Amino acid sequence: MTPALRRLHPSPTAATTVREAYDVTRRPLPGRPWIGVCMVASLDGSVAVDGTSGALGNDNDMAVLHTLRQLADVIIVGAGTVRGEGYGPPEKAGQRIGVVTNSGRVDVSTPLFTTGAGFLIAPHSATIDGSVEVLRAGDDLVDLTEAVGRVVEIDAGTRYVQAEGGPTLNGALLADDLIDEIDLTISPRLAGGAGPRLTVGAPERIRGYDLAHLLADDDGFVFTRWVRSANT
Ligand SMILES: NC(=O)c1ccc[n+]([C@@H]2O[C@H](COP(=O)([O-])OP(=O)(O)OC[C@H]3O[C@@H](n4cnc5c(N)ncnc54)[C@H](OP(=O)(O)O)[C@@H]3O)[C@@H](O)[C@H]2O)c1
């Protein structure tokens, strides 16, 4: 049974639902869609155990991921996560998933691509094997700012892009100041090991985020939603 969920902030409630909490207005920015990063992390800040995030989540965390997917227009994800977690096509009819890669080394024979849902976001220099739609941005490395600005070429009218990691893609989004929202589930578990943090590789610089909501469930999972602070 899915553990009961309550809201602690704002305006505490005895009960809420994932849909009620996460189905909020998100407005595109000038020249690009709103971008939200959805991740789960352990108490010690790891986002991967044994190469996947599966051991960190629970039913409510999966509901957060799937609800945000329903609300988002386009999903983007790093090639490492697709290679490690075996991404399939989305549940939402017609939704597109952009796999970000510099190398172009992505298996496009999987259902993610054969269903027509998957496309690649790659630099002009990347050699792509197989027949797949490619959004080219950047010469030798993906220019993410250009890519998210042009995602409407893939899905016209895109207002909200959900970024589903991993840490390298998140770090690149952060480096380009493209993270408008962070939907972070905190798992009540220590992971140890050498798993990466939520972002990897971005230059060290403090950016502020405001707490939009804080939920908790009976399993001890904490569900946070953060929005880029107007003051940074
Ligand atoms: N806890 C969570 O919520 C969560 C979510 C997602 C992933 N994860 C975990 O994170 C781990 C993977 O980490 P990772 O950092 O390797 O993931 P990643 O960001 O998905 O993959 C890195 C690869 O993606 C491509 N890439 C990422 N950013 C790029 C950019 N800005 N431009 C061009 N290419 C880019 C590159 O692919 P090429 O090598 O093809 O150039 C790069 O080698 C896995 O263990 C996964 O389970 C956890």
Side-chain angles (χ1 to χ4, degrees), residues 7-207:
R7 187 170 70 218
L8 308 179
H9 172 86
S11 313
T13 59
T16 190
T17 63
V18 168
R19 184 84 196 192
E20 183 178 56
Y22 286 86
D23 189 356
V24 300
T25 302
R26 295 172 174 88
R27 291 196 175 81
L29 283 80
R32 69 164 177 84
W34 179 267
I35 301 173
V37 168
C38 179
M39 297 285 287
V40 57
S42 68
L43 290 176
D44 47 349
S46 176
V47 301
V49 178
D50 214 9
T52 78
S53 56
L56 295 172
N58 74 346
D59 286 351
N60 277 322
D61 176 56
M62 289 309 293
V64 169
L65 177 72
H66 289 289
T67 300
L68 287 169
R69 282 185 160 203
Q70 291 294 328
L71 297 169
D73 299 303
V74 168
I75 293 164
I76 59 171
V77 61
T81 296
V82 170
R83 289 191 282 258
E85 304 224 359
Y87 255 59
E91 292 162 4
K92 183 169 151 181
Q95 188 168 48
R96 306 298 305 275
I97 299 187
V99 179
V100 185
T101 174
N102 281 323
S103 70
R105 283 194 296 274
V106 177
D107 180 2
V108 297
S109 69
T110 62
L112 172 60
F113 294 97
T114 56
T115 56
F119 67 99
L120 297 180
I121 299 175
H124 290 280
S125 62
T127 304
I128 312 290
D129 291 332
S131 169
V132 63
E133 192 171 8
V134 185
L135 175 58
R136 302 251 182 201
D139 294 330
D140 296 320
L141 299 173
V142 169
D143 181 333
L144 273 179
T145 301
E146 181 188 340
V148 295
R150 289 178 41 216
V151 85
V152 288
E153 295 173 17
I154 301 290
D155 184 357
T158 297
R159 296 168 58 85
Y160 170 27
V161 169
Q162 161 137 293
E164 299 188 349
T168 304
L169 176 60
N170 294 346
L173 289 168
L174 178 57
D176 279 6
D177 264 326
L178 291 171
I179 301 179
D180 303 308
E181 165 176 350
I182 302 164
D183 299 291
L184 172 64
T185 297
I186 300 166
S187 178
R189 293 161 187 156
L190 288 168
R197 292 159 48 199
L198 194 141
T199 73
V200 165
E204 200 171 59
R205 179 162 77 79
I206 293 291
R207 285 104 163 157

